[in-house]
Amino acid sequence: MPLRRSVPERRAQKAALDREIKEGRHAVLIVNTRSRSGARIYSEAKRLLAESGIALDAAYPIRYPERMVEIVREEIAKGRKFIIVGGGDGSISSVIGEFAYTDVVFGLLPLGTANSFARTLGIPLDIAGAIDVLVNGKVADIDLAMIGDAYFANGSSIGMPAIVGRATPHNLKRLIGRGAYAFVAAGKFVRYAPFGCTVTINGKKTTFKAFDVRIVNGGFQGGVLVDSDASPDDGRIAIHILRGPSKWALAREWARLALGVPFGPADIEILTASELTIDTVPKQHVAVDGEVITQTPIRVSVAREALLLMAPTDLPQLEDQEP
């Protein structure tokens, strides 16, 4: 992991980039048109950016999301300073590692089903509001989370959320939105069983029988508030372990998800750390913002102030901390 800059260096870097973007008014636009709103929003985003005085050096409507990483990498190599990415949480986490510890500012157009990362940052979910942040916001730096050497932006899950994310058809998400996850979960629920989960922090092991595990860098997962205290700028990862005497505890949590209401505290064990490992018996799939990327065991850590992004001017942040 690259060395973090000192506080004065980071403040100077953010101020210089903010000034360069506001004065130059140039950007690159990359939109996943397979995300729930992408195809409809792409042309509208181009129009609104132009009306706001932003000149696009390049614009890409991406039909095949696997191309997004390649295009982001190419545009960063060209020396671009402001790259706007439109898509859902999965699209964002797929490319976010390309921005980590660079001098490139990430701009977000939330076009997905849950838009948890945007909700955590207070970015409006409507296209006009999100573009207003891109034009009039501020350059901020926030933490990213890591599983092994892979960066992710918002949340990861083990157990039922990963199973459901893996099994939910893209077309169903486009059709009914966030309710698609609850619909698929209902079909998986009958045969679902708890698994052994061991979390190790600073050499201390804690073991649970878990129904699901959520790794939280921000306050939202699945578009629902899961941790009002979680912040992408506090240097810590929160682990939410759903226990309970029966899998009806899981059913309650998924009902809350379907209804879009905050999760309840009952049966949930919360652990926080800057670095930890998670192992399970049997092995479980691990999903990052809805996309399965690996299996347990995993090492989870925080990449402090790794991402520069255009954020709302009132984004609540902690003071810059020395490395």
Side-chain angles (χ1 to χ4, degrees):
M1 186 185 301
L3 291 175
R4 289 169 57 205
R5 294 181 167 111
S6 67
V7 168
E9 288 173 332
R10 291 201 304 277
R11 288 176 177 167
Q13 177 194 32
K14 288 183 284 187
L17 284 168
D18 194 272
R19 187 165 52 250
E20 181 175 351
I21 290 170
K22 298 288 175 56
E23 293 177 357
R25 303 184 76 78
H26 281 257
V28 170
L29 177 65
I30 303 170
V31 174
N32 175 11
T33 57
R34 287 190 74 238
S35 64
R36 192 172 183 223
S37 310
R40 175 175 56 83
I41 291 297
Y42 174 70
S43 59
E44 184 180 357
K46 288 182 66 178
R47 177 181 62 81
L48 290 173
L49 285 166
E51 290 177 356
S52 300
I54 302 295
L56 292 177
D57 297 314
Y60 300 91
I62 305 299
R63 177 64 180 164
Y64 300 100
E66 58 271 18
R67 291 197 61 226
M68 293 186 73
V69 173
E70 175 188 352
I71 290 170
V72 167
R73 189 176 296 147
E74 289 174 353
E75 290 299 320
I76 289 176
K78 293 175 184 177
R80 310 297 195 193
K81 290 301 182 185
F82 189 25
I83 299 178
I84 300 166
V85 177
D89 290 319
S91 296
I92 293 163
S93 275
S94 73
V95 302
I96 210 71
E98 301 300 320
F99 291 87
Y101 296 109
T102 69
D103 289 329
V104 184
V105 176
F106 173 82
L108 172 59
L109 281 178
L111 308 179
T113 303
N115 297 311
S116 296
F117 190 46
R119 293 174 192 270
T120 291
L121 296 171
I123 293 174
L125 303 186
D126 65 288
I127 186 68
I131 285 180
D132 181 68
V133 171
L134 296 173
V135 174
N136 299 309
K138 66 178 181 181
V139 175
D141 53 8
I142 64 168
D143 302 339
L144 292 176
M146 302 182 73
I147 292 179
D149 296 326
Y151 294 92
F152 68 92
N154 186 74
S156 178
S157 53
I158 300 169
M160 181 63 95
I163 292 170
V164 171
R166 193 166 182 245
T168 303
H170 175 74
N171 288 339
L172 186 62
K173 290 192 285 185
R174 288 176 68 98
L175 181 64
I176 63 175
R178 192 168 58 194
Y181 297 115
F183 180 81
V184 172
K188 299 289 184 182
F189 179 76
V190 175
R191 294 184 176 87
Y192 190 68
F195 54 89
C197 176
T198 299
V199 179
T200 305
I201 300 174
N202 295 328
K204 180 181 178 181
K205 294 185 177 183
T206 306
T207 300
F208 306 87
K209 276 289 187 181
F211 287 102
D212 73 36
V213 178
R214 298 174 187 270
I215 305 166
V216 181
N217 185 44
F220 288 81
Q221 281 200 332
V224 175
L225 182 66
V226 297
D227 191 338
S228 59
D229 296 324
S231 166
D233 194 41
D234 62 3
R236 299 181 72 78
I237 290 287
I239 309 300
H240 292 204
I241 302 165
L242 179 63
R243 301 176 297 159
S246 77
K247 62 184 176 183
W248 290 107
L250 181 63
R252 287 197 302 272
E253 298 308 302
W254 279 88
R256 290 176 179 274
L257 178 65
L259 295 171
V261 299
F263 287 3
D267 305 321
I268 293 179
E269 184 80 19
I270 300 177
L271 304 173
T272 62
S274 59
E275 185 173 350
L276 54 93
T277 61
I278 300 174
D279 201 359
T280 64
V281 179
K283 290 184 180 296
Q284 299 289 319
H285 289 291
V286 181
V288 167
D289 291 318
E291 305 294 332
V292 173
I293 65 162
T294 189
Q295 288 184 304
T296 53
I298 58 173
R299 176 177 58 86
V300 184
S301 59
V302 177
R304 287 292 281 137
E305 294 160 338
L307 180 67
L308 291 162
L309 81 161
M310 192 63 74
T313 55
D314 59 352
L315 174 69
Q317 283 192 281
L318 302 178
E319 290 295 321
D320 289 324
Q321 302 293 316
E322 289 288 0

